[in-house]
Amino acid sequence: MTLRIAKSFGASILLIFLLGVVLSAQQPSKKELKRAEDLIRQAEKAFKAKDYKTSVEKYAEALIILPKNASAHFWKGYAHYYRKEFDLAAKELTLAQELGYSAIEVAKVRWIVNYQLGNHDDALRDIESALSFSPDDPALLRAAGDIYYEKKRYKEALAAFQRAAVRTP
């Protein structure tokens, strides 16, 4: 009985030790955090300069260190969009939203990505989601009208176009 308790106790100590090692391995060091911040700054600078290839690369490097950085996933997805890498853009944008990035900001970009991929139902869902936050956005209303029209939902298309026309200066 004592041997059994000792084995169980030893296994528990080993499990706690291994869990501690795994958890500490997941936390980046201060040096790694600084490196990730520098990479994100470089990615932002490249994005602003319209160097989307470099932007994607720098965000990818930063995400190795900080894989749950919603903002980095969003902007990496946006850079993929500009490079016409729509599959990659959709994945990054969806992950950004899952990690807590603004649903409306994601939807405003992802609908175009989904549309380009031929996923018109997903594009329409994103537009409708964005419109729930920003119901008077003329660009979103026109996009909704276009997709409704393509889907032969003419009454909804007309309503969306009319609302967009009223709000367009």
Side-chain angles (χ1 to χ4, degrees):
M1 181 81 157
T2 308
L3 182 60
R4 204 172 183 189
I5 293 172
K7 283 184 181 180
S8 176
F9 181 73
S12 297
I13 296 296
L14 181 61
L15 180 63
I16 291 170
F17 173 75
L18 291 174
L19 187 60
V21 169
V22 169
L23 289 176
S24 67
Q26 292 177 347
Q27 297 295 331
S29 68
K30 288 182 181 180
K31 183 178 179 181
E32 290 172 319
L33 284 174
K34 180 164 178 13
R35 174 76 177 133
E37 290 169 2
D38 289 342
L39 289 164
I40 288 171
R41 276 193 288 278
Q42 291 171 30
E44 290 168 349
K45 184 178 178 183
F47 190 94
K48 287 177 185 169
K50 298 183 180 183
D51 180 0
Y52 302 117
K53 180 178 187 277
T54 300
S55 182
V56 165
E57 291 167 355
K58 296 300 178 184
Y59 279 124
E61 287 182 58
L63 287 166
I64 290 169
I65 300 167
L66 298 173
K68 294 186 179 185
N69 185 312
S71 181
H73 282 288
F74 174 81
W75 289 103
K76 182 178 181 229
Y78 213 155
H80 280 301
Y81 159 73
Y82 279 118
R83 291 179 49 78
K84 299 188 184 328
E85 298 167 341
F86 300 121
D87 285 330
L88 296 170
K91 289 175 187 172
E92 290 294 336
L93 292 166
T94 298
L95 184 53
Q97 185 175 352
E98 289 170 0
L99 292 171
Y101 201 82
S102 166
I104 187 170
E105 294 303 319
V106 169
K108 282 182 175 183
V109 178
R110 192 175 55 198
W111 84 263
I112 302 168
V113 169
N114 280 321
Y115 188 83
Q116 292 296 324
L117 289 170
N119 302 333
H120 296 168
D121 290 336
D122 291 339
L124 187 56
R125 259 192 300 282
D126 278 332
I127 291 169
E128 290 170 343
S129 173
L131 283 169
S132 73
F133 292 100
S134 183
D136 298 328
D137 186 311
L140 290 172
L141 289 166
R142 283 191 303 274
D146 287 339
I147 294 176
Y148 287 137
Y149 186 82
E150 286 179 13
K151 295 175 113 357
K152 300 185 183 340
R153 293 167 60 180
Y154 300 120
K155 198 177 214 180
E156 291 163 291
L158 180 61
F161 287 136
Q162 286 175 332
R163 283 181 52 210
V166 168
R167 280 143 182 93
T168 302

